[in-house]
Amino acid sequence: MLTKTFDPAAVEPRLYELWEKLGAFTADPASSAPPFVIMIPPPNVTGSLHIGHALTMSVQDMLTRWRRMQGRDALWQPGTDHAGIATQMVVERLLASQGQDRRAMGREAFLKHVWEWKAQSGGAITRQLRRLGASLDWPRERFTMDEGLSRAVLKVFVTLHRQGLLYRDRRLVNWDPVFQTAISDLEVESREVKGSLWHLKYPVEGEPGRFLVVATTRPETMLGDTAVAVHPEDARFADLVGKHLILPLTGRRIPVVADTHSDPEKGSGAVKITPAHDFNDFEVGKRHALSMPSVLDADAKVMVAEIEAELAEVPGIGDPAFVRALDGLDRFDARKKILARLEELGLIEKIEAHTHMVPHGDRSGVPIEPRLTMQWYVDAKTLAQPAIKAVETGQTVFVPRQWENTFFAWMRDIQPWCVSRQLWWGHQIPAWYAPDGEVFVAESEAEAAAAAREKYGRDVTLIRDADVLDTWFSSALWPFSTLGWPDETPELKKYYPGSVLVTGFDIIFFWVARMMMMGIHFMNEVPFRHVYIHGLVRDEKGQKMSKSKGNVMDPLELIEAYGADALRFTIAALTGPGRDVKLGRKRVEDHRAFVTKIWNAARFLEMNGIVADASFDPATAKSPLARWILDASNRAVEECTEALEAYRFDEYAAAAYRFAWGSYCDWFIELGKPVLNGPDGPEKAEVKGAAQHVFGTILKLLHPAMPFVTEELWHLFGYGEQGSLIRAAWPAPVTVPDAEAARAELDWVVALIGEVRGARAEMNVPPSVTVPLLLQGAAGTTLARADRWIDAIRRLARATEVKPLDGAAPKGVAQVVVGEATVMLPLADVIDLGAERTRLAKARAAAENEAKKIAAKLGNADFVARAKEEVVEENRERLAAAEAEMARLDAALARIAE
RNA sequence: GGGCGCUUAGCUCAGUGGUAGAGCGGCGGUUUUACACACCGUUGGUCGGCGGUUCGAAUCCGUCAGCGCCCA
């Protein structure tokens, strides 16, 4: 006996272990089956499963399970990435709590700690993915710092360098003062900050009392100003171009230059230029050959060294002692002091409140500081071109398509990719420096030494670059490094390129674009055919989930409460095209009802002795009920398959739900009860056969979304061995004899029951009152149908019998129109005839309204002349039907007039 | 400022030229032996506004408004 309700907590872990033990998730490079490949977006090794993972992983698992059932050799490649900054931060914090310090222990010892931490705590998310039911090929699990993947990183780095696509350059980087490292453009997020716009007065050289006013949001950087720019066409400042200003506090002479970067509309129309601390100013500096002194150090503290030589005492303007005293001061403290001093000197014209966007490190959360440093860069511009072309030509297709625009916009304006990070945890850059500064890039120290020996004719001391690579550098290789590249493995041959990449739109730049670039460059082929972009998970109100808002939902807790199937089905149902998913507890609870519904349907089958029967052949079905449900299941199969092919998880869920609940449970089982409760015989056997056959189809259709409950029932009902549904064949439509006739018959039964139920409910007839149904004007086929379905009609329409009206209509009937017939319910003692007249009049008005609308359309000569013939014909039929219904309702009204 | 997207029933959303839909909710009824996480019935929308194209527009075009996201 099945338990009263499904108990996911007891069943799910057991089944997952079984699948894993059976090797049900395993891909087989030796098989002849065509591959289906999804590369997991490797979660952070520091991470734990959040609701966003639940979405993306559920989607990936649905696709994988579905394709696997279709007979594809499915590989869902698992793994995690080493998450440079995040992991280093976690371990540093841990060490700090034990009173230890990274720098004190040194690089080697620190890395040992990180590896230890990874071994102990790094696998949390992989365990959690199992709870979700993710059918990843675990024996193939990889980590971006694996030996194999590290070898791929070395090879790629060295190759790109040799090809001139990876180089060192001294330019401005986004510097994170907390982590003390460069970060890429993408790791910077603009945040709106309420600040001020300070209008500073810079004295014009040789013209006492004349000032050029510059507006700035960052007054502390003025120490590093090397020019003031005005717009070339700005008449207000035309005479100043070429003249010099005395930079307050430092006393340094700086030129006024004409540059279009200066916007006459903004601020004062003149802008101070600090090339070493602002990206735009850097470009201006390059255009005008300005010097580029840095005045902030790695900690974002004031650094006077590079401007020391030019400090000059100028009465009322230049104050070297003050400037020197700022050395080592935090940037924000320095700002206050500088402003106070300028105020004293009368060099602040005004201060405006000003809201502006300030770049922040996405992990550290502090304002990033542009700094002039030497870093390694990848020539993304060059690598981007083939990637752009691949999407333009459809080698890779985004779903939904509109995301291609986002991809193009970024790729066409791509900047050099800064790949070096001043961290210890990561792939150390394979570059060695000779004492003269010459760099040797090689896959090993020995190779670098050999190259150096060749150059210098002797051995020299080489020092390895201390920096590591951006984590995304190794992630970019994921689609082929996980398959064994640079070795030519069977896996690489079979599973590259992947079928589809599934991710959120926020990752298009970080990862998708970079995989495209690296994949095409090193494999001469795009890394995946489709990129399915899903939305973000938000709370019920549509708010982004965040810890600070306190609206985060823990997927594991939801699984605990409602089961993984319920969570997964909810996600499927809510994942529409290009939409964010608004998820609340209530939604999961609601969809759990569907899991329970399936379970209860199974209990009904069990009570009726219905079990799997492979010998049942749908093509031999005779009873209309069996043929009807088999036919309906064919359509459900088609709908589900088409929906999955189109990545329409909402439609897939809706089609399966509609069929399982709305057709199988609500009608097939209910209509089948009289037969199932009746004596054994061919009809009963056939209904049982259809019941088990279609239930098997339902289990298969739902398996990608609800793997656990379906797998459990699959075995309990004898469809297959334990844990075998996962590899059962995806259903295909079956042959159903004369499906159209079965549809027509069941449509009639459903309509009759529906109409009678509706009238009874509206007339407040208690369910305990049962009446005969008298058919007036019924065709012979209708009467035959009524006869065939009498037991079901009795049961579902609360009827005692169904028979043709003999003679005149009895007094006090309720009447409904079903097709050509009028059905009379003799209810003289129960109903209010006035109310019945009102009800009929309302129905007649609706029919009349419909008829009028259609008649007007058909009365339009243009419509008849220009619309498609089948549309006109359809409208003619609808008009006829509406008019016939009006006539029958008129007759019904006449019958009970007084 | 530039770009993208969204606006359809109380809520969440499908619907991309031919009868406006689903789920949930609301309301009324029901212990009819799978299921109250249920069953039956029912209510509910000038498809954001305006203009255009068309025989016909939620759907195509233009425009305006509101909201969201990305970029500067």
Side-chain angles (χ1 to χ4, degrees), chain A residues 307-346:
Chain A
I307 55 169
E308 167 76 29
E310 289 187 274
L311 291 179
E313 184 82 39
V314 182
I317 304 169
D319 186 349
F322 171 80
V323 173
R324 286 191 192 100
L326 295 173
D327 198 52
L329 209 58
D330 175 80
R331 52 185 164 168
F332 298 111
D333 297 333
R335 175 183 294 180
K336 282 184 203 141
K337 294 221 160 165
I338 287 169
L339 288 168
R341 185 68 183 127
L342 289 172
E343 185 72 55
E344 277 171 32
L345 296 171

Side-chain angles (χ1 to χ4, degrees), chain A residues 157 161 166-176 180-184 279 298 369-379 416-423 429 431 433 439 465-470:
Chain A
F157 189 97
H161 182 258
L166 188 152
Y167 53 89
R168 287 179 92 208
D169 197 7
R170 183 177 163 80
R171 37 185 293 152
L172 278 189
V173 290
N174 298 297
W175 183 265
D176 189 315
Q180 303 264 306
T181 178
I183 56 180
S184 83
F279 285 92
E369 196 57 63
R371 278 189 84 220
L372 202 49
T373 56
M374 187 70 95
Q375 303 283 348
W376 289 93
Y377 290 90
V378 166
D379 178 358
W417 173 17
C418 176
V419 293
S420 44
R421 296 289 181 274
Q422 286 65 54
L423 303 173
I429 289 174
Y433 302 98
V439 63
D465 195 312
D467 292 348
V468 301
L469 286 165
D470 182 2

Side-chain angles (χ1 to χ4, degrees), chain A residues 429-440:
Chain A
I429 289 174
W432 284 262
Y433 302 98
D436 65 358
E438 182 72 22
V439 63
F440 296 90

Side-chain angles (χ1 to χ4, degrees), chain A residues 415-710:
Chain A
Q415 300 301 306
W417 173 17
C418 176
V419 293
S420 44
R421 296 289 181 274
Q422 286 65 54
L423 303 173
W424 285 353
W425 175 241
H427 298 100
Q428 192 171 354
I429 289 174
W432 284 262
Y433 302 98
D436 65 358
E438 182 72 22
V439 63
F440 296 90
V441 170
E443 287 186 44
S444 68
E445 182 158 15
E447 283 177 36
R453 197 177 306 118
E454 186 154 330
K455 178 173 168 85
Y456 297 109
R458 61 186 169 84
D459 285 330
V460 295
T461 309
L462 293 177
I463 297 173
R464 184 166 187 178
D465 195 312
D467 292 348
V468 301
L469 286 165
D470 182 2
T471 306
W472 294 104
F473 189 93
S474 46
S475 301
L477 316 181
W478 188 253
F480 51 96
S481 64
T482 51
L483 299 176
W485 188 91
D487 294 339
E488 285 182 31
T489 61
E491 284 81 1
L492 192 64
K493 201 165 148 53
K494 181 157 189 189
Y495 302 125
Y496 190 97
S499 310
V500 55
L501 182 88
V502 175
T503 190
F505 59 82
D506 47 333
I507 304 300
I508 292 176
F509 308 143
F510 276 110
W511 194 45
V512 178
R514 286 161 177 175
M515 283 189 287
M516 289 288 286
M517 293 193 276
M518 293 296 199
I520 294 171
H521 192 73
F522 287 95
M523 298 294 297
N524 288 313
E525 173 65 283
V526 295
F528 24 73
R529 296 294 174 206
H530 289 172
V531 179
Y532 174 71
I533 301 288
H534 56 246
L536 257 42
V537 181
R538 297 170 177 279
D539 72 6
E540 300 104 310
K541 294 179 209 120
Q543 302 244 21
K544 219 166 159 171
M545 289 190 191
S546 74
K547 279 185 195 144
S548 53
K549 279 188 210 139
N551 60 349
V552 289
M553 295 176 60
D554 177 3
L556 295 165
E557 196 267 320
L558 289 172
I559 289 171
E560 215 53 54
Y562 304 109
D565 288 332
L567 176 62
R568 293 169 57 119
F569 193 79
T570 307
I571 286 168
L574 299 180
T575 301
R579 276 262 185 189
D580 284 347
V581 173
K582 286 183 198 160
L583 193 67
R585 254 193 117 68
K586 180 77 168 52
R587 299 310 209 97
V588 183
E589 193 182 324
D590 288 346
H591 286 92
R592 178 188 52 178
F594 183 50
V595 179
T596 308
K597 187 74 182 175
I598 297 296
W599 187 257
N600 279 315
R603 293 182 68 218
F604 175 82
L605 301 188
E606 184 186 45
M607 290 175 73
N608 284 276
I610 294 167
V611 292
D613 174 10
S615 71
F616 175 78
D617 179 6
T620 63
K622 291 185 182 59
S623 84
L625 183 62
R627 279 150 56 214
W628 172 77
I629 195 64
L630 287 162
D631 174 62
S633 100
N634 279 349
R635 262 168 297 136
V637 167
E638 279 163 8
E639 284 166 11
C640 288
T641 308
E642 277 168 26
L644 285 170
E645 262 159 14
Y647 299 98
R648 285 298 302 265
F649 302 98
D650 56 339
E651 284 187 353
Y652 156 63
Y657 182 101
R658 208 166 36 233
F659 175 65
W661 197 319
S663 296
Y664 190 81
C665 293
D666 287 349
W667 288 107
F668 172 71
I669 287 182
E670 292 305 327
L671 292 171
K673 276 177 182 172
V675 182
L676 293 170
N677 288 340
D680 286 350
E683 192 188 4
K684 183 167 172 178
E686 190 174 288
V687 168
K688 286 171 81 168
Q692 63 79 29
H693 185 272
V694 173
F695 192 65
T697 301
I698 289 172
L699 294 180
K700 287 190 264 191
L701 287 180
L702 285 171
H703 182 257
M706 320 197 315
F708 293 109
V709 70
T710 51

Side-chain angles (χ1 to χ4, degrees), chain A residues 211-281:
Chain A
F211 300 93
L212 181 53
V213 176
V214 298
T216 181
T217 59
R218 300 206 56 197
E220 69 279 10
T221 64
M222 57 110 33
L223 300 174
D225 286 0
T226 53
V228 168
V230 297
H231 196 275
E233 282 155 31
D234 194 333
R236 293 173 296 175
F237 309 116
D239 77 303
L240 283 172
V241 175
K243 291 189 177 172
H244 285 77
L245 308 171
I246 304 300
L247 184 63
L249 306 181
T250 68
R252 191 163 71 230
R253 273 180 95 230
I254 59 171
V256 177
V257 301
D259 196 289
T260 52
H261 164 59
S262 177
D263 180 352
E265 309 278 308
K266 263 161 99 176
S268 62
V271 58
K272 62 194 267 316
I273 301 298
T274 324
H277 294 286
D278 181 281
F279 285 92
N280 288 313
D281 292 6

Side-chain angles (χ1 to χ4, degrees), chain A residues 11 31 103 155 169 270 351 390 521 526 660 667 711 776 785 809 833 835 864-865 872 896:
Chain A
V11 172
S31 93
R103 286 170 217 280
K155 174 107 178 168
D169 197 7
I351 306 170
H521 192 73
V526 295
W667 288 107
E711 183 72 88
Q776 191 264 329
R785 280 171 178 165
L833 272 190
V864 178
V872 177
I896 57 169

